[in-house]
Amino acid sequence: MQQQRHETGSERDGGAFLQLRSLPPALRPLVRAYLLGYASAVAPRLLTLILQHLSRRRTKNKKTLPADVDERTFVESVVHVLRTGLAPQRFPTFCAALVGGSTLLQVATGLGDTPRLRNPPEKAGLTRVLVRLARWLASFVAAWFSLRLLQSKQGLPRRDSASAAAAQADRDAASRKKFAGRTLDLTLFAATQAVDVIVGELWSEHRGRRTAAQKWTKGEQFISRMIDPLAFVASCGPIMWAWFYSPESLPRGYNKWITSAAHVDLRLIEALRRFRSGELRYTQETGQAPLLGAMCKDYGLPYQLGDPVKVVPFPCGIVHMGRGPSCEYHAWRRFWLSWRWAMYTYLPLALALQLRKPTRKSPLLALLSASRSSAFLATFITLFYYGVCLGRTRLGPHLIGKDVPCRQRIDSGLCVSTGCFLCGWSVLIETASRRKDMALFVAPRAMATLLPRRYAADKQWRETLAFAASTAVVFTCALENPRRVRGMMGGILGLTMRN
């Protein structure tokens, strides 16, 4: 009976499919990592193919298909996706080499018998340090060679070039000089996890000492609760700034998602970018009136309101995109429309999660969870837009000035920076566990805005070194103190690395 209960608990944690009881224990982490990597790489592409196939079937008699649509049949496309996922230089092989290489090296060095070292007395002192160092080295070697395997795949990193001329320039430059950077996002993710592990461990030890001495203060407790929200706020600022002024520094898909969530007229963003570059200046004729002038006509506003020579500054009614002059009413409308848009995404996900253990309260719990997440996203968008209005009209002119140079300065970046600072505080709407996951999600993307997306290939060893060292820290901690690896990565490693 005890054995049956143990197996049931294991199946609940990881599923019977990933138990792999028929394989030797040393090989189970490798196979699990490959299966999970394959599923994560192939499933999103298959879902996209299915949705596109259904869309084509609905519109096949309406002559709305683009001329350059793929001629391959749906079945051929599915087979192609499944086959490419099996290539040796793809993500599934990388996962298997990383996790399997680390565990097999530890087995080869005699560490396989002690997969988790939790302060046993016989492993104290120098022996404990040596065991930890050996595990770190095994993970370092596996991480180094697995990333090199992934980097060996030919191809340039994706960029957000808007024209064929820019893409051709990339190809011409690549022909003259080799570039790297395809795996940068993966490296930054590993570095973020490693920093979180180290800082979390140091803070835990500090809290333990202070609590034992009965000196743990309310201020320190407040800091503990606010670390994740502050990390989220500090990350969202650079991300939103980059989305406005240097979108090429963000991952392509992430930049596209922000744009779709913002529901903004791109002419408005272009105008603020031209203010930033000095191309658009108040009281000076630089030929920029048609940009916002045409936008005004589309939203039922007088054309001259978009002329920077005649109107200083251009009114917030343009920012509101036809929703009236009131900044507060626009903020409320933004919240409602964004909440409704987010519910279409979050509600199906929340219902799907409740299906794991359905109860009578599952529909209500799913609705509450989806509403909360939608409120977070709606508040994020609302705070950003209202922050722009605060900087332009409500607060900025009273602090900086109302003359033409001050108005130019506000619209050249101060209004956007206000929105960038405010939007991240919406994370306080979410639960503490969600704040943790969200902080770990956005932190690597914020770091990416500070680094070039491409760099010379002869410097690639630096990225590989950073990835290997960071991954070794995370893996070592996952073996010794699994709870210290927070977020989704902690759950994945806990599922994958157990024998």
Side-chain angles (χ1 to χ4, degrees):
M1 181 67 68
Q2 291 179 353
Q3 182 180 2
Q4 183 178 1
R5 280 198 294 264
H6 174 74
E7 291 177 354
T8 303
S10 298
E11 291 178 5
R12 186 182 300 115
D13 292 339
F17 176 70
L18 292 177
Q19 297 304 308
L20 304 176
R21 298 299 184 188
S22 61
L23 293 177
L27 294 179
R28 291 171 189 169
L30 185 151
V31 177
R32 277 195 210 102
Y34 187 88
L35 293 175
L36 290 174
Y38 186 82
S40 64
V42 170
R45 298 177 64 189
L46 287 179
L47 179 60
T48 301
L49 278 176
I50 293 172
L51 294 177
Q52 291 176 347
H53 178 64
L54 295 176
S55 177
R56 285 197 296 267
R57 292 185 63 180
R58 287 196 300 266
T59 60
K60 63 180 180 180
N61 296 324
K62 298 182 180 180
K63 298 182 180 180
T64 58
L65 293 177
D68 57 344
V69 69
D70 196 343
E71 296 181 356
R72 293 178 305 185
T73 65
F74 173 65
V75 175
E76 291 172 339
S77 299
V78 169
V79 172
H80 175 74
V81 170
L82 295 175
R83 184 185 297 121
T84 54
L86 299 173
Q89 295 171 311
R90 296 282 183 171
F91 186 70
T93 308
F94 159 79
C95 293
L98 177 61
V99 176
S102 175
T103 54
L104 289 176
L105 282 174
Q106 292 185 49
V107 170
T109 55
L111 297 176
D113 296 332
T114 55
R116 289 181 180 175
L117 188 62
R118 297 181 179 176
N119 301 316
E122 66 273 11
K123 294 293 182 180
L126 181 60
T127 303
R128 175 182 173 83
V129 173
L130 292 176
V131 169
R132 180 178 296 175
L133 178 60
R135 285 176 172 161
W136 187 91
L137 288 174
S139 299
F140 179 90
V141 172
W144 179 284
F145 285 102
S146 61
L147 189 67
R148 292 296 296 168
L149 175 67
L150 199 62
Q151 291 170 341
S152 64
K153 183 178 181 296
Q154 297 297 321
L156 291 173
R158 289 183 176 178
R159 302 195 66 192
D160 296 317
S161 302
S163 65
Q168 184 61 44
D170 287 343
R171 289 191 289 268
D172 293 342
S175 65
R176 295 189 299 269
K177 184 177 182 180
K178 292 183 178 181
F179 288 93
R182 289 193 312 108
T183 57
L184 183 60
D185 292 328
L186 191 61
T187 299
L188 292 177
F189 175 76
T192 301
Q193 290 285 339
V195 170
D196 182 73
V197 164
I198 295 172
V199 173
E201 187 66 24
L202 293 176
W203 183 256
S204 178
E205 293 179 359
H206 169 77
R207 180 173 56 187
R209 291 193 300 267
R210 297 282 290 178
T211 302
Q214 298 184 349
K215 294 182 179 180
W216 183 250
T217 65
K218 292 183 178 180
E220 290 170 316
Q221 182 65 30
F222 176 77
I223 293 174
S224 295
R225 292 198 304 267
M226 290 301 296
I227 286 178
D228 290 327
L230 288 174
F232 185 83
V233 172
S235 299
C236 287
I239 289 173
M240 295 306 297
W241 183 269
W243 177 70
F244 244 90
Y245 296 119
S246 55
E248 68 280 354
S249 64
L250 294 174
R252 187 178 184 180
Y254 193 53
N255 179 65
K256 184 178 179 180
W257 183 87
I258 295 176
T259 302
S260 64
H263 295 290
V264 63
D265 193 312
L266 297 180
R267 291 172 293 186
L268 177 62
I269 298 179
E270 180 60 27
L272 292 174
R273 288 173 180 170
R274 293 183 185 183
F275 270 112
R276 180 73 178 171
S277 65
E279 187 178 356
L280 198 161
R281 303 190 64 84
Y282 284 127
T283 71
Q284 297 183 18
E285 181 57 64
T286 57
Q288 301 298 316
L291 177 62
L292 291 179
M295 184 176 169
C296 290
K297 290 182 63 177
D298 291 343
Y299 292 108
L301 301 172
Y303 180 89
Q304 59 269 22
L305 290 181
D307 190 341
V309 177
K310 298 178 181 179
V311 179
V312 181
F314 65 85
C316 268
I318 299 179
V319 179
H320 304 160
M321 294 182 292
R323 294 190 177 94
S326 172
C327 298
E328 287 70 30
Y329 176 75
H330 173 250
W332 159 246
R333 286 286 297 171
R334 277 286 175 182
F335 179 86
W336 163 244
L337 293 175
S338 300
W339 183 88
R340 188 178 64 181
W341 176 81
M343 283 292 287
Y344 285 107
T345 300
Y346 287 122
L347 185 56
L349 292 176
L351 289 171
L353 291 175
Q354 290 295 326
L355 290 177
R356 297 180 303 175
K357 297 179 181 179
T359 63
R360 291 182 179 180
K361 295 183 178 180
S362 293
L364 178 60
L365 293 176
L367 180 62
L368 293 176
S369 176
S371 299
R372 187 170 194 165
S373 296
S374 299
F376 151 74
L377 184 57
T379 304
F380 185 99
I381 296 171
T382 300
L383 287 177
F384 183 84
Y385 277 107
Y386 193 65
V388 172
C389 291
L390 282 177
R392 297 194 72 250
T393 58
R394 290 293 189 260
L395 188 60
H398 301 286
L399 297 177
I400 299 175
K402 300 181 180 180
D403 56 7
V404 173
C406 290
R407 295 290 189 177
Q408 184 75 32
R409 183 183 174 194
I410 289 172
D411 284 339
S412 295
L414 287 179
C415 62
V416 173
S417 62
T418 305
C420 292
F421 171 74
L422 289 179
C423 62
W425 293 102
S426 59
V427 75
L428 296 176
I429 295 177
E430 284 286 8
T431 61
S433 60
R434 285 283 294 157
R435 295 173 196 169
K436 167 188 62 181
D437 292 331
M438 294 163 67
L440 291 174
F441 176 79
V442 298
R445 288 156 177 79
M447 294 171 62
T449 64
L450 307 176
L451 299 172
R453 301 293 297 175
R454 299 174 62 195
Y455 58 88
D458 58 354
K459 303 295 191 300
Q460 194 175 56
W461 66 269
R462 300 177 182 178
E463 180 193 342
T464 309
L465 177 63
F467 175 81
S470 300
T471 302
V473 169
V474 176
F475 276 33
T476 303
C477 184
L479 289 168
E480 298 189 8
N481 186 11
R483 294 183 179 180
R484 177 58 55 207
V485 185
R486 307 189 307 158
M488 185 181 299
M489 179 54 63
I492 292 175
L493 289 180
L495 171 64
T496 307
M497 299 185 70
R498 71 165 184 263
N499 294 329

